[in-house]
Amino acid sequence: MSKIYEALKKAHGEKTQDSPVARQHLHQNPQISSAPKEIPATPVTEQHQSTLRPAHAGISGQYLRFDDLLKQCAEPVWQPDPNTIVFSDSHSPHGGAEQFRTLRTRLYQLRDGAPVKRVLVTSAVAGEGKTFVATNLAQAIARERDRKVLLVDGDLRSARLHLPLGAPLSPGLSEYLRDEATEADIIQHGQEGNLCFIAAGYGAGSNASELLSNGRLQKLLDRVAPLFDWVIIDSPPCLPVADASVLAGCVDAVLLVVRANSTPSAMAQKARQELRKSNVIGVVLNAVGKSNSYGNYYAYGYGADQKKQKTPHNPERKADPSMTVRAQ
């Protein structure tokens, strides 16, 4: 009896599978889907990447041209201080400008013997005129045809380099070192010509040495320096704080500024010792009086206009913003 029951049950099951309802159910619930006949031309991963847009493209000196940089960087309106920049119309044709042209020539001569592009300008103590020298040296180079110059304020404790340019203080180097701004955010191009500027920014204070040492400054210079002929960096004085020594490790050469009749000889020697591991290529003697400078005396007779030649010499006149360069 049980065999007959099992045979009937098996026959009933086969009949059920062959029924139209069962065949429809199988077609509606396939176990394996067939592969598409055509593969999409664009992979899924590439489609996803194309929709991702970074907040800022950034700058890479390995790939961009200088013109590409100008299209991306900030363009504030600068208001240069004519009393500080010796190449302005308010200065006489030889009011210090020729001395900076001389310094520019000396730098090119040094470049013939060794690769020099990144130059740090520092001093022993404050008030010796390093910001004045950095500003006008950059101006002198930028006035040459097709010369591209990046001027950087590396004095994060007492920023002043933006003042002679009449440029914004922020965003600047401090914000970049804290990863709060990109290269394009902090590089300014505020006038015609090939001079760009990075201000010091806000908020470094006593953490300046740590910020300068965190590796981002070196990264910044490595990325943007190839776009320029020269990079001029103004730094704090080297004796009171360690910032100048940190900055010196990121450049090719150092210029030491000494103020005439002001900087004690012992201070200058101590500053040179502090920078003994750096490539100090020369000393700039700043604020030389006309009566003490052969170059200034010579300028009165050569190339000066008639009105200038008739001007009597006044021994009590304030020291002219000029300098003497003495390479080491």
Side-chain angles (χ1 to χ4, degrees):
M1 184 71 178
S2 60
K3 293 182 179 180
I4 297 173
Y5 176 78
E6 290 178 359
L8 291 174
K9 183 178 179 181
K10 180 178 180 181
H12 178 73
E14 291 176 353
K15 183 178 180 181
T16 303
Q17 290 180 0
D18 291 337
S19 66
V21 177
R23 288 196 298 269
Q24 182 180 5
H25 179 73
L26 287 173
H27 285 300
Q28 289 178 349
N29 297 278
Q31 295 295 324
I32 301 176
S33 60
S34 59
K37 296 181 180 180
E38 296 183 1
I39 300 175
T42 304
V44 175
T45 55
E46 292 185 5
Q47 291 178 349
H48 177 69
Q49 291 175 354
S50 64
T51 61
L52 297 178
R53 295 183 179 180
H56 203 292
I59 297 171
S60 173
Q62 298 178 356
Y63 305 105
L64 294 185
R65 301 171 304 168
F66 182 73
D67 291 340
D68 297 321
L69 168 65
L70 297 185
K71 294 176 183 178
Q72 296 186 48
C73 67
E75 297 182 344
V77 177
W78 290 351
Q79 297 178 342
D81 180 6
N83 296 318
T84 305
I85 298 177
V86 299
F87 294 93
S88 65
D89 295 337
S90 64
H91 284 275
S92 64
H94 295 281
E98 281 302 317
Q99 299 292 340
F100 281 103
R101 293 188 182 102
T102 299
L103 177 59
R104 178 185 67 194
T105 301
R106 300 282 179 85
L107 289 178
Y108 278 110
Q109 291 172 347
L110 290 169
R111 179 182 273 186
D112 291 339
V116 177
K117 173 181 283 193
R118 310 175 189 181
V119 178
L120 183 72
V121 181
T122 189
S123 60
V125 293
E128 298 189 73
K130 57 182 179 53
T131 298
F132 169 78
V133 171
T135 300
N136 285 285
L137 174 58
Q139 293 280 343
I141 297 174
R143 274 167 169 72
E144 288 189 306
R145 183 177 180 179
D146 297 329
R147 295 297 183 185
K148 305 171 185 65
V149 186
L150 176 62
L151 182 61
V152 182
D153 192 347
D155 191 346
L156 306 186
R157 299 173 189 263
S158 180
R160 297 190 59 82
L161 195 56
H162 65 289
L163 297 177
L165 294 177
L169 174 60
S170 180
L173 186 58
S174 295
E175 286 83 356
Y176 176 82
L177 296 179
R178 292 195 298 265
D179 200 14
E180 298 172 358
T182 66
E183 297 106 331
D185 294 331
I186 66 173
I187 298 177
Q188 303 179 27
H189 180 248
Q191 64 184 32
E192 295 183 2
N194 295 329
L195 176 63
C196 291
F197 173 58
I198 297 179
Y202 286 119
S206 60
N207 294 324
S209 292
E210 287 75 15
L211 284 176
L212 293 171
S213 303
N214 67 10
R216 286 183 61 81
L217 174 61
Q218 187 68 57
K219 175 184 175 182
L220 172 66
L221 294 177
D222 289 344
R223 287 166 66 88
V224 303
L227 302 177
F228 295 90
D229 297 295
W230 293 91
V231 178
I232 309 297
I233 305 177
D234 183 26
S235 86
C238 63
L239 293 184
V241 293
D243 302 9
S245 297
V246 175
L247 288 165
C250 300
V251 300
D252 305 317
V254 177
L255 280 175
L256 183 63
V257 179
V258 176
R259 189 174 185 87
N261 302 317
S262 176
T263 308
S265 175
M267 286 287 190
Q269 293 292 336
K270 188 175 181 181
R272 180 63 186 90
Q273 181 65 20
E274 183 71 21
L275 298 169
R276 63 188 180 277
K277 295 182 180 180
S278 305
N279 181 25
V280 179
I281 57 175
V283 176
V284 177
L285 187 61
N286 183 42
V288 179
K290 288 187 179 296
S291 60
N292 298 326
S293 174
Y294 172 77
N296 280 298
Y297 175 79
Y298 181 71
Y300 269 89
Y302 184 81
D305 55 29
Q306 296 298 319
K307 182 178 179 180
K308 184 65 179 178
Q309 291 179 5
K310 293 179 181 179
T311 302
H313 175 66
N314 181 3
E316 299 297 325
R317 184 175 178 179
K318 185 178 179 181
D320 200 69
S322 59
M323 63 188 178
T324 300
V325 185
R326 298 179 180 178
Q328 299 198 159

